[in-house]
Amino acid sequence: MRLTRTATRSTLATGACVAVLALSACGGGAAEEEAAPAAEPSVAEAPEFEEGSTMATIAEEGAIQIGTKFDQPGFGLTDLGGDPEGFDVEIATYIAGQLGLGADAIEWVEAPSAERENLIEAGEVDLVVATYTINDLRKERITFAGPYYVAGQQIMVNAGDTTIAGPEDLAANPDFIVCSVTGSTPAENIRQYLAAPEQLVEFEGYDDCVSAMENGQVQATTTDNVILTGYVAENEGAYELVGEQFTEEPYGIGLAKGDTAFCEFVNEALASAAEDGSYEEAWTATAGQYEGTEVPTLPEPDPCV
Ligand code: GLU
């Protein structure tokens, strides 16, 4: 099943405003204007790979399908032209570059939280870079490269709402409804703090949660701090985070189960992005523009199994 909302980056060659790492060239808020100048993505010239490997197949095809989020500011969010932008998009674009593929060879496939393993198993995508927490349950179906970032779960409320100071206060406030996304780790993690299962409402994407907060249908949204930070920044004065992060969410890159050679290749690509400065640049041009974020250091990779 290919999700309906797909977008290709074929317009990249002509569309300067959607060029990789070119957020600063796209105008917009003050924070964007302060971003580092855009860098050209590096594309390996005629790289050679072992015959029959996933890398060789993708390089020969000259095209790659990548799953990412389309509705998460800072990590994966479609711009007005329908092209996604964000830290995940930059990381994925760098990996494609190491395969010898430029941005115009990427087909972006929307990968909602609950669909990520399905997309990989069905072969609809070659990899998924989508705020995707590495965990054992998911490892039963797919292989993760990375991690390339470590986030943590937090709660976002309407600005000035002091009903709760963290997840521990939820059980005592059963009418304070929390929203999260089906198939996400935060939706599972939050259950232990609730007065009853009905205190959690789940939607397909975080945009739906934020709309439900606007409508007053729910009082909070919970997911990874970096995703919530994006919503806080994009809706000035409307929302705030309460309490500290209460989980660790190491972000991995989802691949077909057992493809250890591809996993090792992706880990090498991540190491090379950290070494040549692309990792930091990708952060600074995207999620790093939001207040309160810090430039991360690339975590040590997990073994590819
Ligand atoms: N990192 C969490 C997860 O993989 C939450 C973010 C998301 O839903 O993509 O489930």
Side-chain angles (χ1 to χ4, degrees), residues 126-145:
D126 298 299
L127 47 94
V128 166
V129 190
T131 59
Y132 201 4
T133 296
I134 299 171
N135 68 23
D136 289 343
L137 189 67
R138 291 171 177 168
K139 278 193 211 164
E140 287 173 15
R141 296 177 61 187
I142 63 147
T143 287
F144 281 107

Side-chain angles (χ1 to χ4, degrees), residues 68 72-77 85-89 131 149 226 251 283 287:
T68 196
Q72 291 179 193
F75 272 74
L77 176 74
E85 55 191 21
F87 187 58
D88 281 343
V89 173
T131 59
Y149 184 76
V226 279
Y251 287 176
W283 179 265

Side-chain angles (χ1 to χ4, degrees), residues 107-128:
E107 181 187 355
W108 298 103
V109 178
E110 186 175 27
S113 300
E115 292 298 331
R116 293 173 290 197
E117 292 92 287
N118 293 341
L119 286 166
I120 295 167
E121 281 184 331
E124 294 287 334
V125 293
D126 298 299
L127 47 94
V128 166

Side-chain angles (χ1 to χ4, degrees), residues 229-250:
T229 301
Y231 282 112
V232 169
E234 297 295 338
N235 298 276
E236 226 189 301
Y239 307 114
E240 64 188 40
L241 303 192
V242 287
E244 300 298 315
Q245 74 167 69
F246 53 98
T247 68
E248 280 219 337
E249 308 289 330

